Amino acid sequence: MKDAVSDETTPGFKTVISREIQRMLTRPLYLLITIVLPLVSFAIFWIIFNPGVPKDLPISVYDADNTQMSRRITRMLDATSLLKVSQRVTSIEHGKKQMLKGKSNAVILLPKNLEKDILKGLSPQVVNFYNNEFLLLGSMINRDVTAVIQTASKGLNLSIRQKKSEMATAAMAHIEPVAIKKHVLFNPYLNYFYFLTGTLQPAMLQIFIIVMTVFVFGIELKEGTAGELFEKSGGNITAIILGKLLPYSLIYILLGFFMNIYLLRIPGFPFRGHLAVLVISTILFVFAYQAIGIFIISLTANLRMALSVAAFYSSTAFAFSGVTFPIMGMPLFAKIWSSLLPLTYYIKTFVDQSMKGAPVSVSIPDLCFLSFFILGGVCLSCFRMKKILNDPAYWGRS
Amino acid sequence: MKNLFQIWLNEYYIIFSDIGSLLIFFGAIIIYPFFYPLPYTNEVLKNVPVAVVDMNQSQLSRQLTRMLDSNQLINVTTKALAFDQAKTSLIKGGINGIIYIPETFEKRILRGEQAIISVYSDASSFLIYKQVLSGIYHATGTFSAGIEIKRMLARGNMQEQALSARAPISLLPVPLFNAVGGYATYVVPAVLVLMLQQTLLIGIGLLAGTRREKGRGKDISSQSVSIVSLVLGKAFAYFSIYMVHVVYLFGILFRFYHFPQRGNPLDLILFIIPYLFASIFLAQAISGFFKNREISMVILLFTSIPAVFLSGFSWPKSSMPDWLNHLALLLPSTVGIDGFLRINQMGSSLKDVGFNWGILLGLTAVYFMLAVISIEKQYNRP
């Protein structure tokens, strides 16, 4: 029985797949969307994030004290790898003006009598006016300025108290009754190259997959070739769906592996989990987006409309995937929407398996959700797809 | 002149009689600004779940735990008895940080020694990491200060001196322009500025593709009209529609979202005009590549995310290679997003963003010429 079915399926499937490959090879647009543009988009992110950690961001210092102490703090700020004291300004206003011009990211005010007040124990205040419009940079800058002032402060405290002839360890205890020993997990160098590249690339890939899936089916409707396709397949909808999609599945899966291999080969890339899980997840990810693609085209039965829906769905996905703003902080509707995106599950698996080194069991629910999209998408669109491919009323609409 | 005006009006007719272009020129502009900010409406990430592993179980350790829990950035959801248990939970993603309080905690504090707590934080996501650490540092700092003041008071110091003796230098961070660090305030304006360019590129590409598909010469614009009038007439139609969008987005919607508007409105308008024209002429220049109605969307859709990053708003331009920065100047959005944010969010003047403005004017001029060439070819005229 099983053999009989596959015997019936095979000729239709073979015809459809060879027809599709021919179409793919003869239309430059197809190669552009399947191979060239995805690779270009990967390359853009590799190049943008390659240094991993920003360096030498210009800041300005308003040194109203101009003493050994204030100069020492200035040197310490300049010595961090993130910051570069690019200019001395003569007032806070002057420093802010430089910020408005985009020439500086912060003004550090070293107040008058800084050194004197330290010696008097008056705890003078250094002020960090920083540009928080560019949020990521703002927090990096404030983190490093805070660290510099803390280091300077600790050194001073120790020497002041030692002068008062306390024991060094006791002096330490007076500085901070409770000290924090920090352990940075999963990303010890706080390098966001991995995170951003590893998540932006699948975000790009899903756009291409869904657009291409919608396109290869929609174009048959638009150009009125759906009937011919239907006949050639012997009216076998399974053969049509598989035959038309598998060539692209293969290409996109290979692209998915390529983006993973690229990351894994970078020295120091934290991969602690199970490669097999990542491989399975990549495959399911591609199929899931293809399934959603055929769902959209069969629902709309109109290439342009389907593309608009696919565009909306895929181009907003990154914002909802929890990379930029974690899902736990989103309002309910956004949480629900993010759960309707295969990208969310793929990225979670990627982070769990690569950076966190989670056990397989953690990723199994995510793999199940991805499979869900595949099953759901195919089941929901099979019958309608059969109908629209076979009914000229749906052809030629745009 | 009369011709130009006719083409201008005719272009409105073309836009409004095509459901596909309406969806892009109007539908997207209406839907995106409401949909896109949804993940960020809470603005600040709060209540990140963390675990406390309290090996001490003393009055002081419980006090510290309470202080950690009452910090708004973090939420002590788990009180684990063993570190391994908490670590498993961290890997599984149930919590994002662990505070380990050692057995000797209270004893050391009472003896006047330094107690050390260990913090393990999930750094796989930048924002989570930042919130967990600042929550813990803030709570622990408050706890420490309380202990220290008690010690000083016990030694008979005046309270004021006690307070000031804490740190020889203190730091006051003053975040400017987005003081609360709101995430929607950070991301959404940039994305909306980009949306103007992207919808113009795709929409104008769609109209050009449609015209080719239907065959040439049906519209009046192909007869006895100078090419310059043809390009400008169409451009003015798009431009006028987009100026309405600009007023809607940045005049009305920004107020609705309470986004900062620090810039001089005149500077903002003067900046946006060449941004729109550069985008329109670029769209016209590349519209010749689109032989079908749908192709512009298929090809251009992916450019949005890279374009945002190329504008340098999340990752500094100085960390990207120069050649890429120079190449990126070809997109109006690169200097457009940056300049818009500086004027509108930071309150820079047009003079402050003079470089950006100059580039936009230059792009407008160059793309206008390319648009003339492209439209000339599309309308098959000598």
Side-chain angles (χ1 to χ4, degrees), chain A residues 158-174:
Chain A
L158 214 57
S159 59
I160 291 171
R161 293 201 188 192
Q162 271 168 343
K163 273 182 201 155
K164 289 182 190 163
S165 79
E166 285 185 50
M167 296 288 289
T169 37
M172 277 299 287
H174 280 296

Side-chain angles (χ1 to χ4, degrees), chain A residues 66-363:
Chain A
N66 202 14
T67 52
Q68 215 179 341
M69 175 57 59
S70 69
R71 285 189 293 268
R72 204 180 121 220
I73 292 177
T74 307
R75 274 196 307 276
M76 284 171 77
L77 288 167
D78 197 43
T80 58
S81 79
L82 182 75
L83 305 173
K84 193 175 101 186
V85 178
S86 63
Q87 55 188 334
R88 313 291 163 102
V89 289
T90 48
S91 69
I92 293 298
E93 275 317 301
H94 182 194
K96 281 191 186 168
K97 190 76 197 154
Q98 294 301 314
M99 259 193 256
L100 292 180
K101 283 185 181 169
K103 289 184 177 162
S104 153
N105 296 286
V107 201
I108 314 294
L109 166 66
L110 301 170
K112 210 168 183 178
N113 299 328
L114 177 75
E115 195 175 65
K116 265 190 208 160
D117 288 351
I118 291 172
L119 294 173
K120 281 186 194 161
L122 291 174
S123 190
Q125 200 164 43
V126 172
V127 188
N128 173 19
F129 297 92
Y130 62 100
N131 183 356
N132 207 32
E133 166 55 27
F134 304 96
L135 211 57
L136 186 72
L137 289 185
S139 28
M140 284 181 171
I141 289 168
N142 191 43
R143 190 183 68 202
D144 279 31
V145 173
T146 308
V148 164
I149 298 299
Q150 270 173 357
T151 312
S153 197
K154 265 181 203 164
L156 282 168
N157 211 336
L158 214 57
S159 59
I160 291 171
R161 293 201 188 192
Q162 271 168 343
K163 273 182 201 155
K164 289 182 190 163
S165 79
E166 285 185 50
M167 296 288 289
T169 37
M172 277 299 287
H174 280 296
I175 299 162
E176 283 173 306
V178 180
I180 293 177
K181 197 172 172 208
K182 195 166 73 177
H183 304 264
V184 182
L185 295 183
F186 312 138
N187 186 0
Y189 305 107
L190 294 176
N191 181 326
Y192 286 91
F193 173 79
Y194 314 132
F195 187 57
L196 285 167
T197 317
T199 53
L200 277 164
Q201 287 178 349
M204 299 309 300
L205 198 60
Q206 51 110 24
I207 294 179
F208 292 110
I209 299 171
I210 199 166
V211 161
M212 199 61 204
T213 307
V214 163
F215 192 81
V216 293
F217 279 96
I219 198 78
E220 305 268 9
L221 293 174
K222 189 186 172 195
E223 293 182 350
T225 50
E228 176 223 317
L229 169 70
F230 196 76
E231 259 169 44
K232 277 193 177 164
S233 74
N236 184 339
I237 191 69
T238 319
I240 292 177
I241 290 178
L242 289 181
K244 277 191 81 69
L245 288 186
L246 284 182
Y248 305 101
S249 317
L250 183 70
I251 293 174
Y252 286 123
I253 287 170
L254 289 177
L255 279 171
F257 290 165
F258 178 66
M259 72 184 185
N260 288 333
I261 290 168
Y262 179 86
L263 278 175
L264 297 179
R265 283 193 39 178
I266 297 173
F269 179 81
F271 192 86
R272 307 187 177 86
H274 298 81
L275 193 60
V277 176
L278 193 59
V279 167
I280 294 169
S281 174
T282 308
I283 295 170
L284 293 177
F285 171 76
V286 172
F287 284 131
Y289 273 103
Q290 288 188 313
I292 293 169
I294 57 171
F295 175 67
I296 292 173
I297 185 67
S298 65
L299 201 69
T300 56
N302 174 332
L303 173 59
R304 185 197 45 76
M305 193 60 208
L307 280 173
S308 299
V309 174
F312 179 76
Y313 180 76
S314 61
S315 67
T316 53
F318 188 65
F320 287 84
S321 68
V323 171
T324 48
F325 196 81
I327 295 169
M328 67 168 108
M330 294 180 192
L332 184 65
F333 176 82
K335 275 184 185 159
I336 294 171
W337 186 264
S338 92
S339 74
L340 297 175
L341 304 165
L343 183 66
T344 307
Y345 303 99
Y346 176 79
I347 286 177
K348 186 170 176 297
T349 310
F350 171 78
V351 171
D352 282 344
Q353 289 302 326
S354 67
M355 299 170 98
K356 289 193 178 175
V360 179
S361 61
V362 170
S363 296

